[in-house]
Every structure is written in structure tokens, then in C-alpha cells.
Amino acid sequence: SHINRHPGWARVYWDQVAEVFVRRRGRFADSIPAHEYRLTRSEPDLGYLLTYRADPETWERALAELRRAVEDNPENVRAWLGLAQEYSAAGPAAAERRLEALDRAVALMGSAPGVGMVHAERAHTLLQLGRLDEAKEEAQRALHLQRDLVLPRWVLASAAERRGAWGQARELLRDILMRLALDDPRVQTIREHLNVVEERLRSEGVR
């Protein structure tokens, strides 16, 4: 909107429903330094956050804004999803924080479109944390909500691998490959896992 780009106004609140702006020279000007949102915004496409990762200082400021957004409104599902996405990029050390953000998002979304993928992300995070039974259950829930998802199938295959259920892992990995285009960047990783699983099966005399 025009006001987003207007230098005379500062955005001091946002969620998926509304935004609040105040005049930079108005009665609330003193509150702007502590409350302005310069980097994060309410749009549904969270891809804009990826551009901040190139600069650690900017990225940390964006994360701080997302954390402040859920403090301002604990029902700001878009900010929770943004946190979950960025905690994923932060790696395994942030897995617990990612899981918390996904828990909050799932609870708020109900049956909203896209909730199946959020359950899939939650399953993947549980897998990262080694909580295999919960990861399997959550992956199955994601597939129940959205049958065409690849991520929950990957979670189920990885959980089967970790349990030594090589036959089950092979079938799941083969199923994933059939669903991916040949130029999909995930194909190489899936094939590498499939090769390991098939080698393990051959060593056990299974064809």
C-alpha cells in the first residue's frame, strides 16, 4: 500500500488482519524507535525473509521483529510461521524453537488451507529431534490432510531407516522418486538414501 512506502509514517504493529501506522512527527513519535517494524510485514508469502539471511545482523533484526510480533499478538499466525521458517534455516540447534513456533501456528490455523504442510514441517522437526514415534504420527496426519505432500513421505522413510526397517524405507523412497520430476533438486538425495537402503537389504540377503 502507499502508506507502507510513505516516509512520514511508521508501522508499529502488524498481523494477518491489520496494520497500525503512526506519524513520525505525531503524538506517538517517541514510541517509534522501540516499536517500528522495518523488516517484517504481513504478506502471506514469507519468501521475502530469505533475502535477509545474507547479512547476519539484518537477519537477527528480522528475527527480533518476528519475536516481537508474537509478543504483541500471540495469535499472529503469520509471524509464528515466519519464525518457524527462519529457525529451520538456523539449523538443528534451533529445532526446539522451530517446533514451538509450529505448535503455535498449527493451534491457530485449525483447518485453514496450508495446514497440512505445517503439520509436515512439524513432523520433520520432530524427526530432527529424534522423536520418531511422534514424527511418524504427525507425518501421517499431514498426509491425511494433503495427500500430495512429499515431505511427510520423506519423514516416514527416514524414520523407517533409523529403525532399520529397510524394506519399508525402500518402498517409501521409491514412492517419493515416482512423485518427483527428474530435475527436482531433491532427487539426488533420495537416490543416495535409496542406494544405501538397497545395499543394506542386499547385505541381509533381501531382494
Side-chain angles (χ1 to χ4, degrees):
S1 67
H2 173 70
I3 198 169
N4 265 309
R5 300 186 298 273
H6 196 289
W9 292 83
R11 188 161 43 104
V12 295
Y13 175 88
W14 67 265
D15 61 24
Q16 59 273 14
V17 176
E19 296 182 318
V20 176
F21 293 81
V22 298
R23 290 187 181 276
R24 293 192 183 276
R25 296 185 179 180
R27 60 186 293 194
F28 299 109
D30 290 347
S31 69
I32 291 173
H35 297 283
E36 183 175 11
Y37 288 94
R38 292 180 175 273
L39 299 173
T40 58
R41 44 189 189 260
S42 60
E43 63 188 53
D45 183 358
L46 298 170
Y48 76 91
L49 292 167
L50 277 62
T51 63
Y52 301 140
R53 297 177 189 172
D55 178 54
E57 182 180 346
T58 303
W59 189 42
E60 186 50 50
R61 285 195 290 117
L63 281 169
E65 283 194 12
L66 290 170
R67 286 190 284 263
R68 178 154 52 86
V70 298
E71 290 174 3
D72 287 348
N73 178 8
E75 295 187 1
N76 188 338
V77 66
R78 205 155 285 163
W80 285 118
L81 290 172
L83 282 170
Q85 174 184 283
E86 298 312 295
Y87 286 147
S88 176
E96 289 284 2
R97 285 178 291 173
R98 181 188 181 200
L99 183 61
E100 179 190 1
L102 290 167
D103 287 347
R104 299 297 292 266
V106 162
L108 292 165
M109 291 178 75
S111 58
V115 72
M117 190 60 196
V118 181
H119 280 285
E121 294 284 352
R122 190 172 183 277
H124 186 253
T125 309
L126 288 164
L127 178 73
Q128 271 190 313
L129 293 167
R131 294 159 60 174
L132 300 187
D133 289 338
E134 293 172 83
K136 180 179 177 181
E137 182 179 345
E138 190 70 347
Q140 291 169 338
R141 184 177 293 114
L143 287 172
H144 176 73
L145 291 164
Q146 192 174 337
R147 291 298 304 173
D148 62 341
L149 293 174
V150 169
L151 181 58
R153 289 180 165 83
W154 165 253
V155 170
L156 291 170
S158 298
E161 279 188 73
R162 294 190 189 188
R163 289 194 170 96
W166 306 110
Q168 182 184 11
R170 177 173 64 182
E171 294 311 308
L172 286 162
L173 291 167
R174 285 175 173 175
D175 179 59
I176 293 171
L177 282 176
M178 287 192 296
R179 295 172 182 276
L180 297 177
L182 290 176
D183 60 349
D184 191 297
R186 295 170 291 183
V187 166
Q188 182 176 351
T189 299
I190 302 299
R191 283 180 173 160
E192 288 172 357
H193 277 263
L194 183 57
N195 289 338
V196 170
V197 167
E198 289 181 332
E199 180 62 33
R200 190 61 181 260
L201 287 167
R202 282 192 293 271
S203 72
E204 296 178 359
V206 179
R207 293 187 176 273

PDB file of all heavy atoms in Angstrom, residues 25-60:
ATOM      1  N   ARG A  25       6.106  12.415  13.040  1.00  0.00           N
ATOM      2  CA  ARG A  25       6.172  13.679  13.775  1.00  0.00           C
ATOM      3  C   ARG A  25       4.885  13.916  14.566  1.00  0.00           C
ATOM      4  O   ARG A  25       4.588  15.043  14.955  1.00  0.00           O
ATOM      5  CB  ARG A  25       6.411  14.838  12.807  1.00  0.00           C
ATOM      6  CG  ARG A  25       7.763  14.742  12.110  1.00  0.00           C
ATOM      7  CD  ARG A  25       8.025  15.963  11.252  1.00  0.00           C
ATOM      8  NE  ARG A  25       9.331  15.889  10.597  1.00  0.00           N
ATOM      9  CZ  ARG A  25       9.816  16.816   9.789  1.00  0.00           C
ATOM     10  NH1 ARG A  25       9.084  17.919   9.527  1.00  0.00           N
ATOM     11  NH2 ARG A  25      11.001  16.683   9.223  1.00  0.00           N
ATOM     12  N   GLY A  26       4.157  12.840  14.827  1.00  0.00           N
ATOM     13  CA  GLY A  26       2.907  12.972  15.544  1.00  0.00           C
ATOM     14  C   GLY A  26       3.054  12.732  17.036  1.00  0.00           C
ATOM     15  O   GLY A  26       4.169  12.631  17.572  1.00  0.00           O
ATOM     16  N   ARG A  27       1.938  12.552  17.704  1.00  0.00           N
ATOM     17  CA  ARG A  27       1.932  12.449  19.165  1.00  0.00           C
ATOM     18  C   ARG A  27       2.577  11.166  19.678  1.00  0.00           C
ATOM     19  O   ARG A  27       2.992  11.099  20.833  1.00  0.00           O
ATOM     20  CB  ARG A  27       0.500  12.555  19.684  1.00  0.00           C
ATOM     21  CG  ARG A  27      -0.419  11.474  19.153  1.00  0.00           C
ATOM     22  CD  ARG A  27      -1.845  11.700  19.583  1.00  0.00           C
ATOM     23  NE  ARG A  27      -1.996  11.544  21.020  1.00  0.00           N
ATOM     24  CZ  ARG A  27      -3.173  11.420  21.619  1.00  0.00           C
ATOM     25  NH1 ARG A  27      -4.282  11.459  20.895  1.00  0.00           N
ATOM     26  NH2 ARG A  27      -3.245  11.258  22.916  1.00  0.00           N
ATOM     27  N   PHE A  28       2.666  10.146  18.813  1.00  0.00           N
ATOM     28  CA  PHE A  28       3.260   8.874  19.255  1.00  0.00           C
ATOM     29  C   PHE A  28       4.694   8.690  18.733  1.00  0.00           C
ATOM     30  O   PHE A  28       5.226   7.576  18.745  1.00  0.00           O
ATOM     31  CB  PHE A  28       2.399   7.696  18.794  1.00  0.00           C
ATOM     32  CG  PHE A  28       0.999   7.736  19.349  1.00  0.00           C
ATOM     33  CD1 PHE A  28      -0.075   8.032  18.526  1.00  0.00           C
ATOM     34  CD2 PHE A  28       0.767   7.499  20.703  1.00  0.00           C
ATOM     35  CE1 PHE A  28      -1.372   8.078  19.038  1.00  0.00           C
ATOM     36  CE2 PHE A  28      -0.514   7.531  21.217  1.00  0.00           C
ATOM     37  CZ  PHE A  28      -1.590   7.840  20.388  1.00  0.00           C
ATOM     38  N   ALA A  29       5.293   9.769  18.287  1.00  0.00           N
ATOM     39  CA  ALA A  29       6.630   9.677  17.682  1.00  0.00           C
ATOM     40  C   ALA A  29       7.656   9.059  18.622  1.00  0.00           C
ATOM     41  O   ALA A  29       8.557   8.332  18.187  1.00  0.00           O
ATOM     42  CB  ALA A  29       7.091  11.064  17.234  1.00  0.00           C
ATOM     43  N   ASP A  30       7.528   9.324  19.921  1.00  0.00           N
ATOM     44  CA  ASP A  30       8.510   8.800  20.875  1.00  0.00           C
ATOM     45  C   ASP A  30       8.496   7.281  20.966  1.00  0.00           C
ATOM     46  O   ASP A  30       9.484   6.670  21.392  1.00  0.00           O
ATOM     47  CB  ASP A  30       8.249   9.386  22.269  1.00  0.00           C
ATOM     48  CG  ASP A  30       8.583  10.864  22.357  1.00  0.00           C
ATOM     49  OD1 ASP A  30       9.251  11.368  21.424  1.00  0.00           O
ATOM     50  OD2 ASP A  30       8.171  11.517  23.328  1.00  0.00           O
ATOM     51  N   SER A  31       7.382   6.672  20.575  1.00  0.00           N
ATOM     52  CA  SER A  31       7.279   5.208  20.665  1.00  0.00           C
ATOM     53  C   SER A  31       7.862   4.498  19.449  1.00  0.00           C
ATOM     54  O   SER A  31       8.065   3.287  19.477  1.00  0.00           O
ATOM     55  CB  SER A  31       5.817   4.788  20.834  1.00  0.00           C
ATOM     56  OG  SER A  31       5.081   5.045  19.641  1.00  0.00           O
ATOM     57  N   ILE A  32       8.138   5.233  18.403  1.00  0.00           N
ATOM     58  CA  ILE A  32       8.562   4.609  17.144  1.00  0.00           C
ATOM     59  C   ILE A  32       9.876   3.840  17.260  1.00  0.00           C
ATOM     60  O   ILE A  32       9.966   2.701  16.797  1.00  0.00           O
ATOM     61  CB  ILE A  32       8.625   5.662  16.020  1.00  0.00           C
ATOM     62  CG1 ILE A  32       7.203   6.109  15.672  1.00  0.00           C
ATOM     63  CG2 ILE A  32       9.322   5.094  14.776  1.00  0.00           C
ATOM     64  CD1 ILE A  32       7.151   7.260  14.687  1.00  0.00           C
ATOM     65  N   PRO A  33      10.942   4.386  17.855  1.00  0.00           N
ATOM     66  CA  PRO A  33      12.202   3.639  17.896  1.00  0.00           C
ATOM     67  C   PRO A  33      12.076   2.234  18.488  1.00  0.00           C
ATOM     68  O   PRO A  33      12.746   1.299  18.040  1.00  0.00           O
ATOM     69  CB  PRO A  33      13.107   4.529  18.746  1.00  0.00           C
ATOM     70  CG  PRO A  33      12.571   5.909  18.548  1.00  0.00           C
ATOM     71  CD  PRO A  33      11.083   5.728  18.464  1.00  0.00           C
ATOM     72  N   ALA A  34      11.236   2.075  19.499  1.00  0.00           N
ATOM     73  CA  ALA A  34      11.108   0.773  20.152  1.00  0.00           C
ATOM     74  C   ALA A  34      10.090  -0.137  19.476  1.00  0.00           C
ATOM     75  O   ALA A  34      10.130  -1.352  19.676  1.00  0.00           O
ATOM     76  CB  ALA A  34      10.713   0.969  21.619  1.00  0.00           C
ATOM     77  N   HIS A  35       9.204   0.416  18.667  1.00  0.00           N
ATOM     78  CA  HIS A  35       8.076  -0.376  18.177  1.00  0.00           C
ATOM     79  C   HIS A  35       7.958  -0.471  16.660  1.00  0.00           C
ATOM     80  O   HIS A  35       7.120  -1.231  16.166  1.00  0.00           O
ATOM     81  CB  HIS A  35       6.768   0.199  18.731  1.00  0.00           C
ATOM     82  CG  HIS A  35       6.662   0.122  20.211  1.00  0.00           C
ATOM     83  ND1 HIS A  35       6.369  -1.048  20.887  1.00  0.00           N
ATOM     84  CD2 HIS A  35       6.847   1.076  21.169  1.00  0.00           C
ATOM     85  CE1 HIS A  35       6.361  -0.813  22.183  1.00  0.00           C
ATOM     86  NE2 HIS A  35       6.653   0.459  22.387  1.00  0.00           N
ATOM     87  N   GLU A  36       8.793   0.235  15.926  1.00  0.00           N
ATOM     88  CA  GLU A  36       8.629   0.198  14.468  1.00  0.00           C
ATOM     89  C   GLU A  36       9.050  -1.150  13.882  1.00  0.00           C
ATOM     90  O   GLU A  36      10.044  -1.747  14.291  1.00  0.00           O
ATOM     91  CB  GLU A  36       9.430   1.308  13.799  1.00  0.00           C
ATOM     92  CG  GLU A  36       9.220   1.356  12.296  1.00  0.00           C
ATOM     93  CD  GLU A  36       9.914   2.519  11.618  1.00  0.00           C
ATOM     94  OE1 GLU A  36      10.751   3.193  12.280  1.00  0.00           O
ATOM     95  OE2 GLU A  36       9.635   2.759  10.420  1.00  0.00           O
ATOM     96  N   TYR A  37       8.290  -1.601  12.910  1.00  0.00           N
ATOM     97  CA  TYR A  37       8.627  -2.799  12.144  1.00  0.00           C
ATOM     98  C   TYR A  37       9.177  -2.349  10.793  1.00  0.00           C
ATOM     99  O   TYR A  37       8.442  -1.893   9.926  1.00  0.00           O
ATOM    100  CB  TYR A  37       7.395  -3.683  11.947  1.00  0.00           C
ATOM    101  CG  TYR A  37       6.953  -4.377  13.213  1.00  0.00           C
ATOM    102  CD1 TYR A  37       5.977  -3.816  14.028  1.00  0.00           C
ATOM    103  CD2 TYR A  37       7.530  -5.584  13.593  1.00  0.00           C
ATOM    104  CE1 TYR A  37       5.579  -4.448  15.201  1.00  0.00           C
ATOM    105  CE2 TYR A  37       7.148  -6.221  14.759  1.00  0.00           C
ATOM    106  CZ  TYR A  37       6.169  -5.644  15.556  1.00  0.00           C
ATOM    107  OH  TYR A  37       5.790  -6.278  16.718  1.00  0.00           O
ATOM    108  N   ARG A  38      10.485  -2.476  10.637  1.00  0.00           N
ATOM    109  CA  ARG A  38      11.143  -2.044   9.405  1.00  0.00           C
ATOM    110  C   ARG A  38      11.345  -3.184   8.411  1.00  0.00           C
ATOM    111  O   ARG A  38      11.386  -2.954   7.199  1.00  0.00           O
ATOM    112  CB  ARG A  38      12.513  -1.421   9.730  1.00  0.00           C
ATOM    113  CG  ARG A  38      12.443  -0.106  10.487  1.00  0.00           C
ATOM    114  CD  ARG A  38      13.844   0.435  10.767  1.00  0.00           C
ATOM    115  NE  ARG A  38      13.818   1.749  11.378  1.00  0.00           N
ATOM    116  CZ  ARG A  38      13.776   2.897  10.711  1.00  0.00           C
ATOM    117  NH1 ARG A  38      13.760   2.877   9.381  1.00  0.00           N
ATOM    118  NH2 ARG A  38      13.752   4.049  11.349  1.00  0.00           N
ATOM    119  N   LEU A  39      11.492  -4.404   8.906  1.00  0.00           N
ATOM    120  CA  LEU A  39      11.895  -5.514   8.040  1.00  0.00           C
ATOM    121  C   LEU A  39      10.790  -6.534   7.788  1.00  0.00           C
ATOM    122  O   LEU A  39      10.752  -7.155   6.726  1.00  0.00           O
ATOM    123  CB  LEU A  39      13.104  -6.229   8.653  1.00  0.00           C
ATOM    124  CG  LEU A  39      14.358  -5.375   8.830  1.00  0.00           C
ATOM    125  CD1 LEU A  39      15.419  -6.140   9.611  1.00  0.00           C
ATOM    126  CD2 LEU A  39      14.911  -4.944   7.476  1.00  0.00           C
ATOM    127  N   THR A  40       9.941  -6.750   8.757  1.00  0.00           N
ATOM    128  CA  THR A  40       8.908  -7.779   8.607  1.00  0.00           C
ATOM    129  C   THR A  40       7.586  -7.149   8.200  1.00  0.00           C
ATOM    130  O   THR A  40       7.345  -5.965   8.435  1.00  0.00           O
ATOM    131  CB  THR A  40       8.725  -8.557   9.913  1.00  0.00           C
ATOM    132  OG1 THR A  40       8.376  -7.653  10.964  1.00  0.00           O
ATOM    133  CG2 THR A  40      10.013  -9.287  10.282  1.00  0.00           C
ATOM    134  N   ARG A  41       6.743  -7.975   7.591  1.00  0.00           N
ATOM    135  CA  ARG A  41       5.470  -7.449   7.105  1.00  0.00           C
ATOM    136  C   ARG A  41       4.412  -8.548   7.092  1.00  0.00           C
ATOM    137  O   ARG A  41       4.708  -9.716   7.350  1.00  0.00           O
ATOM    138  CB  ARG A  41       5.633  -6.819   5.730  1.00  0.00           C
ATOM    139  CG  ARG A  41       6.475  -7.600   4.729  1.00  0.00           C
ATOM    140  CD  ARG A  41       6.730  -6.739   3.508  1.00  0.00           C
ATOM    141  NE  ARG A  41       7.353  -7.459   2.413  1.00  0.00           N
ATOM    142  CZ  ARG A  41       8.632  -7.420   2.117  1.00  0.00           C
ATOM    143  NH1 ARG A  41       9.451  -6.700   2.859  1.00  0.00           N
ATOM    144  NH2 ARG A  41       9.128  -8.091   1.092  1.00  0.00           N
ATOM    145  N   SER A  42       3.202  -8.154   6.740  1.00  0.00           N
ATOM    146  CA  SER A  42       2.053  -9.041   6.923  1.00  0.00           C
ATOM    147  C   SER A  42       1.732  -9.907   5.720  1.00  0.00           C
ATOM    148  O   SER A  42       0.796 -10.700   5.775  1.00  0.00           O
ATOM    149  CB  SER A  42       0.812  -8.201   7.268  1.00  0.00           C
ATOM    150  OG  SER A  42       0.528  -7.288   6.222  1.00  0.00           O
ATOM    151  N   GLU A  43       2.474  -9.798   4.650  1.00  0.00           N
ATOM    152  CA  GLU A  43       2.124 -10.534   3.441  1.00  0.00           C
ATOM    153  C   GLU A  43       2.242 -12.045   3.658  1.00  0.00           C
ATOM    154  O   GLU A  43       3.091 -12.514   4.430  1.00  0.00           O
ATOM    155  CB  GLU A  43       3.003 -10.097   2.273  1.00  0.00           C
ATOM    156  CG  GLU A  43       4.486 -10.373   2.448  1.00  0.00           C
ATOM    157  CD  GLU A  43       5.312  -9.736   1.339  1.00  0.00           C
ATOM    158  OE1 GLU A  43       5.166  -8.519   1.114  1.00  0.00           O
ATOM    159  OE2 GLU A  43       6.090 -10.462   0.701  1.00  0.00           O
ATOM    160  N   PRO A  44       1.385 -12.832   2.969  1.00  0.00           N
ATOM    161  CA  PRO A  44       1.390 -14.287   3.190  1.00  0.00           C
ATOM    162  C   PRO A  44       2.637 -14.997   2.663  1.00  0.00           C
ATOM    163  O   PRO A  44       3.025 -16.040   3.187  1.00  0.00           O
ATOM    164  CB  PRO A  44       0.125 -14.759   2.452  1.00  0.00           C
ATOM    165  CG  PRO A  44      -0.203 -13.673   1.497  1.00  0.00           C
ATOM    166  CD  PRO A  44       0.269 -12.406   2.112  1.00  0.00           C
ATOM    167  N   ASP A  45       3.259 -14.458   1.629  1.00  0.00           N
ATOM    168  CA  ASP A  45       4.465 -15.067   1.074  1.00  0.00           C
ATOM    169  C   ASP A  45       5.661 -14.687   1.942  1.00  0.00           C
ATOM    170  O   ASP A  45       6.094 -13.529   1.958  1.00  0.00           O
ATOM    171  CB  ASP A  45       4.675 -14.607  -0.367  1.00  0.00           C
ATOM    172  CG  ASP A  45       5.880 -15.281  -1.022  1.00  0.00           C
ATOM    173  OD1 ASP A  45       6.578 -16.076  -0.349  1.00  0.00           O
ATOM    174  OD2 ASP A  45       6.122 -15.009  -2.218  1.00  0.00           O
ATOM    175  N   LEU A  46       6.202 -15.675   2.652  1.00  0.00           N
ATOM    176  CA  LEU A  46       7.313 -15.414   3.567  1.00  0.00           C
ATOM    177  C   LEU A  46       8.675 -15.439   2.882  1.00  0.00           C
ATOM    178  O   LEU A  46       9.706 -15.319   3.540  1.00  0.00           O
ATOM    179  CB  LEU A  46       7.296 -16.452   4.696  1.00  0.00           C
ATOM    180  CG  LEU A  46       6.050 -16.438   5.588  1.00  0.00           C
ATOM    181  CD1 LEU A  46       6.039 -17.661   6.493  1.00  0.00           C
ATOM    182  CD2 LEU A  46       5.993 -15.157   6.402  1.00  0.00           C
ATOM    183  N   GLY A  47       8.670 -15.560   1.563  1.00  0.00           N
ATOM    184  CA  GLY A  47       9.932 -15.635   0.839  1.00  0.00           C
ATOM    185  C   GLY A  47      10.804 -14.402   1.007  1.00  0.00           C
ATOM    186  O   GLY A  47      12.032 -14.488   0.891  1.00  0.00           O
ATOM    187  N   TYR A  48      10.200 -13.269   1.309  1.00  0.00           N
ATOM    188  CA  TYR A  48      10.987 -12.046   1.479  1.00  0.00           C
ATOM    189  C   TYR A  48      12.006 -12.172   2.607  1.00  0.00           C
ATOM    190  O   TYR A  48      13.048 -11.510   2.601  1.00  0.00           O
ATOM    191  CB  TYR A  48      10.060 -10.849   1.725  1.00  0.00           C
ATOM    192  CG  TYR A  48       9.481 -10.766   3.114  1.00  0.00           C
ATOM    193  CD1 TYR A  48      10.135 -10.051   4.117  1.00  0.00           C
ATOM    194  CD2 TYR A  48       8.290 -11.408   3.447  1.00  0.00           C
ATOM    195  CE1 TYR A  48       9.614  -9.968   5.402  1.00  0.00           C
ATOM    196  CE2 TYR A  48       7.760 -11.328   4.721  1.00  0.00           C
ATOM    197  CZ  TYR A  48       8.420 -10.617   5.694  1.00  0.00           C
ATOM    198  OH  TYR A  48       7.914 -10.555   6.968  1.00  0.00           O
ATOM    199  N   LEU A  49      11.720 -13.037   3.590  1.00  0.00           N
ATOM    200  CA  LEU A  49      12.640 -13.196   4.720  1.00  0.00           C
ATOM    201  C   LEU A  49      13.971 -13.805   4.292  1.00  0.00           C
ATOM    202  O   LEU A  49      15.000 -13.574   4.932  1.00  0.00           O
ATOM    203  CB  LEU A  49      11.998 -14.066   5.797  1.00  0.00           C
ATOM    204  CG  LEU A  49      10.799 -13.463   6.531  1.00  0.00           C
ATOM    205  CD1 LEU A  49      10.067 -14.536   7.334  1.00  0.00           C
ATOM    206  CD2 LEU A  49      11.248 -12.328   7.449  1.00  0.00           C
ATOM    207  N   LEU A  50      13.950 -14.581   3.218  1.00  0.00           N
ATOM    208  CA  LEU A  50      15.175 -15.240   2.763  1.00  0.00           C
ATOM    209  C   LEU A  50      16.254 -14.234   2.372  1.00  0.00           C
ATOM    210  O   LEU A  50      17.451 -14.512   2.506  1.00  0.00           O
ATOM    211  CB  LEU A  50      14.888 -16.153   1.567  1.00  0.00           C
ATOM    212  CG  LEU A  50      14.352 -17.548   1.848  1.00  0.00           C
ATOM    213  CD1 LEU A  50      13.004 -17.514   2.560  1.00  0.00           C
ATOM    214  CD2 LEU A  50      14.230 -18.352   0.557  1.00  0.00           C
ATOM    215  N   THR A  51      15.837 -13.058   1.907  1.00  0.00           N
ATOM    216  CA  THR A  51      16.818 -12.074   1.449  1.00  0.00           C
ATOM    217  C   THR A  51      17.658 -11.524   2.597  1.00  0.00           C
ATOM    218  O   THR A  51      18.746 -10.998   2.365  1.00  0.00           O
ATOM    219  CB  THR A  51      16.117 -10.900   0.735  1.00  0.00           C
ATOM    220  OG1 THR A  51      15.250 -10.223   1.666  1.00  0.00           O
ATOM    221  CG2 THR A  51      15.274 -11.398  -0.434  1.00  0.00           C
ATOM    222  N   TYR A  52      17.168 -11.667   3.819  1.00  0.00           N
ATOM    223  CA  TYR A  52      17.906 -11.134   4.969  1.00  0.00           C
ATOM    224  C   TYR A  52      19.029 -12.056   5.434  1.00  0.00           C
ATOM    225  O   TYR A  52      19.896 -11.634   6.200  1.00  0.00           O
ATOM    226  CB  TYR A  52      16.956 -10.880   6.135  1.00  0.00           C
ATOM    227  CG  TYR A  52      15.834  -9.917   5.841  1.00  0.00           C
ATOM    228  CD1 TYR A  52      14.546 -10.143   6.315  1.00  0.00           C
ATOM    229  CD2 TYR A  52      16.061  -8.771   5.079  1.00  0.00           C
ATOM    230  CE1 TYR A  52      13.505  -9.254   6.052  1.00  0.00           C
ATOM    231  CE2 TYR A  52      15.026  -7.885   4.798  1.00  0.00           C
ATOM    232  CZ  TYR A  52      13.757  -8.138   5.292  1.00  0.00           C
ATOM    233  OH  TYR A  52      12.733  -7.263   5.025  1.00  0.00           O
ATOM    234  N   ARG A  53      18.998 -13.301   5.013  1.00  0.00           N
ATOM    235  CA  ARG A  53      19.957 -14.285   5.543  1.00  0.00           C
ATOM    236  C   ARG A  53      21.392 -14.003   5.118  1.00  0.00           C
ATOM    237  O   ARG A  53      22.333 -14.485   5.753  1.00  0.00           O
ATOM    238  CB  ARG A  53      19.549 -15.697   5.116  1.00  0.00           C
ATOM    239  CG  ARG A  53      18.205 -16.131   5.674  1.00  0.00           C
ATOM    240  CD  ARG A  53      17.836 -17.509   5.163  1.00  0.00           C
ATOM    241  NE  ARG A  53      16.463 -17.865   5.508  1.00  0.00           N
ATOM    242  CZ  ARG A  53      15.839 -18.933   5.059  1.00  0.00           C
ATOM    243  NH1 ARG A  53      16.479 -19.759   4.225  1.00  0.00           N
ATOM    244  NH2 ARG A  53      14.588 -19.184   5.396  1.00  0.00           N
ATOM    245  N   ALA A  54      21.566 -13.261   4.031  1.00  0.00           N
ATOM    246  CA  ALA A  54      22.922 -12.974   3.547  1.00  0.00           C
ATOM    247  C   ALA A  54      23.704 -12.102   4.516  1.00  0.00           C
ATOM    248  O   ALA A  54      24.939 -12.133   4.529  1.00  0.00           O
ATOM    249  CB  ALA A  54      22.854 -12.304   2.174  1.00  0.00           C
ATOM    250  N   ASP A  55      22.990 -11.336   5.340  1.00  0.00           N
ATOM    251  CA  ASP A  55      23.652 -10.455   6.297  1.00  0.00           C
ATOM    252  C   ASP A  55      23.200 -10.833   7.708  1.00  0.00           C
ATOM    253  O   ASP A  55      22.049 -10.593   8.071  1.00  0.00           O
ATOM    254  CB  ASP A  55      23.300  -8.999   6.015  1.00  0.00           C
ATOM    255  CG  ASP A  55      23.939  -8.053   7.020  1.00  0.00           C
ATOM    256  OD1 ASP A  55      25.172  -8.112   7.193  1.00  0.00           O
ATOM    257  OD2 ASP A  55      23.194  -7.281   7.655  1.00  0.00           O
ATOM    258  N   PRO A  56      24.075 -11.448   8.504  1.00  0.00           N
ATOM    259  CA  PRO A  56      23.673 -11.942   9.828  1.00  0.00           C
ATOM    260  C   PRO A  56      23.038 -10.885  10.723  1.00  0.00           C
ATOM    261  O   PRO A  56      22.084 -11.176  11.454  1.00  0.00           O
ATOM    262  CB  PRO A  56      24.982 -12.464  10.431  1.00  0.00           C
ATOM    263  CG  PRO A  56      25.824 -12.813   9.246  1.00  0.00           C
ATOM    264  CD  PRO A  56      25.471 -11.805   8.199  1.00  0.00           C
ATOM    265  N   GLU A  57      23.531  -9.655  10.658  1.00  0.00           N
ATOM    266  CA  GLU A  57      22.984  -8.600  11.517  1.00  0.00           C
ATOM    267  C   GLU A  57      21.550  -8.258  11.111  1.00  0.00           C
ATOM    268  O   GLU A  57      20.658  -8.129  11.969  1.00  0.00           O
ATOM    269  CB  GLU A  57      23.853  -7.352  11.444  1.00  0.00           C
ATOM    270  CG  GLU A  57      23.371  -6.233  12.359  1.00  0.00           C
ATOM    271  CD  GLU A  57      24.235  -4.985  12.276  1.00  0.00           C
ATOM    272  OE1 GLU A  57      25.348  -5.069  11.720  1.00  0.00           O
ATOM    273  OE2 GLU A  57      23.781  -3.934  12.764  1.00  0.00           O
ATOM    274  N   THR A  58      21.306  -8.140   9.809  1.00  0.00           N
ATOM    275  CA  THR A  58      19.954  -7.840   9.325  1.00  0.00           C
ATOM    276  C   THR A  58      19.012  -8.994   9.638  1.00  0.00           C
ATOM    277  O   THR A  58      17.860  -8.786  10.051  1.00  0.00           O
ATOM    278  CB  THR A  58      19.978  -7.581   7.811  1.00  0.00           C
ATOM    279  OG1 THR A  58      20.885  -6.512   7.532  1.00  0.00           O
ATOM    280  CG2 THR A  58      18.597  -7.204   7.296  1.00  0.00           C
ATOM    281  N   TRP A  59      19.499 -10.206   9.455  1.00  0.00           N
ATOM    282  CA  TRP A  59      18.674 -11.390   9.718  1.00  0.00           C
ATOM    283  C   TRP A  59      18.272 -11.441  11.194  1.00  0.00           C
ATOM    284  O   TRP A  59      17.121 -11.727  11.524  1.00  0.00           O
ATOM    285  CB  TRP A  59      19.439 -12.653   9.317  1.00  0.00           C
ATOM    286  CG  TRP A  59      18.615 -13.904   9.336  1.00  0.00           C
ATOM    287  CD1 TRP A  59      17.330 -14.062   8.898  1.00  0.00           C
ATOM    288  CD2 TRP A  59      19.022 -15.185   9.814  1.00  0.00           C
ATOM    289  NE1 TRP A  59      16.913 -15.371   9.058  1.00  0.00           N
ATOM    290  CE2 TRP A  59      17.936 -16.070   9.620  1.00  0.00           C
ATOM    291  CE3 TRP A  59      20.203 -15.668  10.374  1.00  0.00           C
ATOM    292  CZ2 TRP A  59      18.001 -17.414   9.980  1.00  0.00           C
ATOM    293  CZ3 TRP A  59      20.268 -17.007  10.711  1.00  0.00           C
ATOM    294  CH2 TRP A  59      19.178 -17.866  10.522  1.00  0.00           C
ATOM    295  N   GLU A  60      19.205 -11.154  12.077  1.00  0.00           N
ATOM    296  CA  GLU A  60      18.889 -11.182  13.501  1.00  0.00           C
ATOM    297  C   GLU A  60      17.882 -10.089  13.856  1.00  0.00           C
ATOM    298  O   GLU A  60      17.008 -10.298  14.701  1.00  0.00           O
ATOM    299  CB  GLU A  60      20.162 -11.007  14.331  1.00  0.00           C
ATOM    300  CG  GLU A  60      19.950 -11.163  15.836  1.00  0.00           C
ATOM    301  CD  GLU A  60      19.192 -12.418  16.216  1.00  0.00           C
ATOM    302  OE1 GLU A  60      19.558 -13.511  15.745  1.00  0.00           O
ATOM    303  OE2 GLU A  60      18.202 -12.316  16.989  1.00  0.00           O
TER     304      GLU A  60
END
